[in-house]
Amino acid sequence: MTRLLVTGGAGFIGANFVHQVLESTDDVVTVLDSLSYAGNRASLPDDGPRFRFVRGSVADPALLDDLVPRHDAVVHFAAESHNDNSLLDPSPFIDTNIVGTFELLQAVRHHDVRYHHISTDEVYGDLELDDPARFTETTPYNPSSPYSASKAGSDLLVRAWVRSFGVRATISNCSNNYGPYQHVEKFIPRQITNLIDGVRPRLYGAGLNVRDWIHVRDHNLAVLRILEAGTIGETYLIGADGELNNVTVIRLILELMGNDPDDFDHVTDRPGHDMRYAIDASRLRAELGWAPVYPDFRAGLAATIAWYRDNEAWWRPMKDQTEAKYARTGQ
Ligand code: NAD
Ligand code: TDX
């Protein structure tokens, strides 16, 4: 039995992680989450013998000094996670992603607690559509947006704390996740919930940008594997060979929801929009024996659509304010 402290556990990937841990292990979980606009207590179970929820910030050193030493490992999901928001106001991205990670590293350092850092493929910048290369653990960092720059900064802090202070940390950089409990500001849930509301999907620019989709449960299975068998100080890239451009994804959502696949609108492009992300996950596969359990994107997307249809009470309270924000940028 391991005592896990999961930061950002009321968000999309963290909440799925908590459910997977409670289902498949006998670990005990504490979630530390500030319940920002992106956090939802309803994504998590009620408090009980194996689960406890603590509302607070990862940038609060006194709270961390109390919580961290009661745990065997910290899994750090908490972040400001949306590129579009980082273009409107970068400030919380610096506070949570950089200062928050710094405070957490200081706490795990002082209490000698194992640490796993959740990061993103966006730290590597983007690839041309016809580039034969994919991102690997040695690709140089080259972030484009305030979001990806703040994640890159936090990754570099982790590497320095490993080397300078001997912190027992691993890092994973994953590609775009999809699945249940994802905020309706993100591409796939936004289009699904728009269609439920009879609104046409919104594609940024020409829609030729490529994302490397992975089911959230496969991301979390990789994280569990790294916690179990990863080498301290190492970085692992997580991806499931799921490259698709945005127009293909929108057309598939339309088709699966019984609409004409051409029934969508092109809207203002994202400034600085990364063209393509692509992950080479060979190290994770070869060294840790991980492979995706949910590789069928069409089936995963159909299940995700069904989840949003069945869980309107979960997403409805966030929908209007999210769309009001997009209306202000013409998106
Ligand atoms: P999310 O926005 O859905 O959830 C983030 C959670 O962090 C929320 O519950 C929020 O309340 C919490 N939080 C924010 N600031 C906090 C603070 N100061 N203290 C404590 N909690 C705070 O994000 P997500 O999509 O679940 O992403 C989780 C992690 O995975 C992030 O680190 C993100 O960079 C990374 N990641 C995401 C993806 C993706 O496709 N979504 C891909 C690769 C990596
Ligand atoms: O309405 C939309 N229309 C559209 O065309 C939205 C919201 C997005 N898009 C495009 C932009 C991207 O090319 O879809 C693609 C995916 O957009 P997002 O869901 O905002 O994800 P992205 O910017 O790729 O970043 C995601 O993956 C990497 C997560 O939000 C990050 O947290 C993660 O690090």
Side-chain angles (χ1 to χ4, degrees):
M1 186 272 281
T2 303
R3 297 165 303 166
L4 292 177
L5 179 61
V6 178
T7 74
F12 163 45
I13 306 174
N16 279 283
F17 181 80
V18 169
H19 289 292
Q20 286 174 255
V21 167
L22 294 176
E23 281 159 25
S24 66
T25 72
D26 60 0
D27 294 349
V28 172
V29 176
T30 307
V31 161
L32 171 62
D33 195 297
S34 62
L35 295 182
S36 77
Y37 82 93
N40 191 338
R41 180 66 184 81
S43 303
L44 291 167
D46 292 336
D47 283 16
R50 290 182 55 210
F51 178 75
R52 184 162 80 103
F53 180 82
V54 176
R55 184 172 188 176
S57 173
V58 290
D60 178 345
L63 179 58
L64 294 179
D65 201 41
D66 177 48
L67 276 179
V68 167
R70 302 166 193 258
H71 296 85
D72 305 304
V74 174
V75 188
H76 180 36
F77 290 95
E80 286 290 333
S81 69
H82 193 37
N83 276 298
D84 292 323
N85 290 341
S86 81
L87 297 165
L88 296 173
D89 178 12
S91 168
F93 290 75
I94 306 305
D95 296 342
T96 290
N97 300 1
I98 297 186
V99 178
T101 298
F102 160 73
E103 295 294 357
L104 209 45
L105 284 168
Q106 289 288 78
V108 294
R109 170 190 170 200
H110 290 133
H111 297 290
D112 188 24
V113 172
R114 170 86 169 86
Y115 174 83
H116 181 72
H117 184 73
I118 303 290
S119 191
T120 169
D121 58 0
E122 297 193 20
V123 299
Y124 301 113
D126 62 352
L127 298 162
E128 297 297 332
L129 292 180
D130 59 358
D131 192 332
R134 297 192 292 171
F135 300 139
T136 71
E137 285 78 5
T138 56
T139 303
Y141 274 39
N142 186 28
S144 319
S145 74
Y147 162 68
S148 50
S150 69
K151 292 297 292 186
S154 70
D155 293 11
L156 297 181
L157 291 177
V158 179
R159 291 182 182 195
W161 261 243
V162 169
R163 174 143 176 188
S164 301
F165 304 122
V167 162
R168 291 181 291 129
T170 40
I171 300 176
S172 55
N173 297 77
C174 187
S175 59
N176 283 61
N177 287 218
Y178 75 99
Y181 298 109
Q182 187 168 28
H183 195 282
V184 293
E185 70 189 352
K186 302 295 194 320
F187 179 53
I188 287 178
R190 183 181 186 209
Q191 315 311 336
I192 295 170
T193 53
N194 273 357
L195 283 168
I196 291 173
D197 282 348
V199 174
R200 288 160 68 91
R202 306 276 158 85
L203 191 64
Y204 292 176
L208 299 179
N209 311 67
V210 169
R211 296 294 181 265
D212 190 352
W213 294 100
I214 182 172
H215 195 279
V216 62
R217 292 182 72 92
D218 279 331
H219 178 181
N220 287 330
L221 289 170
V223 172
L224 285 168
R225 195 64 201 122
I226 295 165
L227 275 172
E228 205 172 51
T231 304
I232 296 302
E234 289 298 333
T235 290
Y236 296 88
L237 263 56
I238 307 174
D241 303 330
E243 281 189 73
L244 289 171
N245 71 23
N246 294 339
V247 73
T248 304
V249 174
I250 273 206
R251 290 173 60 89
L252 187 54
I253 293 171
L254 280 158
E255 182 207 318
L256 290 170
M257 294 184 74
N259 296 76
D260 181 336
D262 292 323
D263 244 352
F264 61 86
D265 293 325
H266 293 271
V267 296
T268 314
D269 206 354
R270 173 183 286 172
H273 197 173
D274 280 343
M275 185 48 81
R276 171 175 165 239
Y277 308 134
I279 291 267
D280 177 350
S282 302
R283 165 181 273 178
L284 181 69
R285 287 174 183 262
E287 289 181 20
L288 300 184
W290 172 90
V293 176
Y294 306 92
D296 182 342
F297 182 71
R298 187 187 175 89
L301 191 58
T304 303
I305 291 167
W307 189 87
Y308 281 90
R309 280 201 167 116
D310 292 345
N311 289 278
E312 184 167 340
W314 180 87
W315 59 263
R316 178 59 68 191
M318 311 167 217
K319 185 66 181 166
D320 285 353
Q321 66 202 42
T322 303
E323 288 305 315
K325 203 187 267 182
Y326 281 125
R328 288 197 286 277
T329 55
Q331 291 172 317

